[in-house]
Amino acid sequence: MTESCVSGGPVVSLPTKFGVFQAQAWTDKVTGAEHLSVTSPHAAQGDPLVRLHSECLTGDVLGSYRCDCGEQLDYALGLIYTHGGTLVYLRGHEGRGIGLANKMRAYALQEAGADTVDANEQLGFPADARDYASAAGILVALGLDRIKLLSNNPLKSEELSRLGIAISEIVATEVPARSENVRYLETKRDRMRHVLNVEAPEKATSHATPNPQEGPSA
């Protein structure tokens, strides 16, 4: 796998509530999709942390509790800034690749009783339609061909490995369950192989959000 499937723009400074990152936009030469990498200025101890974060407007921007995406994004950015690494924000991955309008249709089906996997399939889509070729291309272009992957989803590590990225460690990105998303998390665990310890919301709410300062093993 090479970086030839993507083209990168200029590297710019991106000040955030977590710290100042180095940001770079990337364009997929095949699909035209635009992605973003944000890289910590701190050197990693050992292999760098990498988070592939799929676009989720409702969770990332609006703070929706129907999923854990926004909270995972915040947790990952804090961890990466402190311990060194890169977050790749993948656009076009809304609703695990079905798009925003279809995600709203899937939500309607979920409100009628379907789980998140059944809802996507009832709309004629696979449970997960995401592609990680451009993500692998971005990592190669950044010189990140051996990484610690910040994820609960084994599919991501399998796909990156298939595309030539070596995964030295998988670091969990668990955040506490909420009453609004506990079924969603259970479905990811039970039907999509995500490595999650889903606690009952009444217990989880007594726990603090994981502290990025604690970090992964070296």
Side-chain angles (χ1 to χ4, degrees), residues 96-175:
R96 296 196 302 275
I98 69 174
L100 182 60
N102 281 319
K103 184 168 84 168
M104 294 298 105
R105 295 183 180 99
Y107 278 174
L109 292 172
Q110 290 168 38
E111 290 179 357
D115 67 24
T116 182
V117 171
D118 289 336
N120 277 27
E121 291 177 346
Q122 286 174 26
L123 291 171
F125 299 103
D128 193 333
R130 291 174 291 185
D131 180 85
Y132 295 100
S134 57
I138 291 168
L139 295 181
V140 171
L142 291 172
L144 302 175
D145 56 2
R146 181 181 170 87
I147 65 172
K148 295 177 182 176
L149 182 64
L150 196 53
S151 179
N152 304 320
N153 183 0
L155 178 63
K156 289 184 180 179
S157 66
E158 292 165 5
E159 285 296 295
L160 285 180
S161 295
R162 183 180 65 82
L163 291 163
I165 305 297
I167 311 297
S168 63
E169 184 181 347
I170 297 176
V171 180
T173 58
E174 287 195 53
V175 296

Side-chain angles (χ1 to χ4, degrees), residues 7-14 21-27 34-39 142:
S7 61
V11 177
V12 301
S13 176
L14 185 68
F21 291 91
Q22 295 299 301
Q24 188 173 12
W26 302 85
T27 302
E34 296 176 325
H35 309 296
L36 185 73
S37 64
V38 289
T39 299
L142 291 172

Side-chain angles (χ1 to χ4, degrees), residues 34-117:
E34 296 176 325
H35 309 296
L36 185 73
S37 64
V38 289
T39 299
S40 169
H42 304 303
Q45 296 296 312
D47 296 326
L49 277 173
V50 168
R51 165 76 179 171
L52 304 184
H53 190 86
S54 293
E55 177 181 31
C56 176
L57 183 144
T58 51
D60 300 341
V61 178
L62 301 177
S64 168
Y65 290 157
R66 293 190 71 131
C67 63
D68 59 343
C69 301
E71 291 169 297
Q72 282 201 65
L73 177 60
D74 283 353
Y75 176 64
L77 285 170
L79 198 66
I80 286 169
Y81 180 79
T82 301
H83 297 282
T86 295
L87 182 140
V88 179
Y89 194 88
L90 296 165
R91 301 183 65 219
H93 277 203
E94 190 82 48
R96 296 196 302 275
I98 69 174
L100 182 60
N102 281 319
K103 184 168 84 168
M104 294 298 105
R105 295 183 180 99
Y107 278 174
L109 292 172
Q110 290 168 38
E111 290 179 357
D115 67 24
T116 182
V117 171

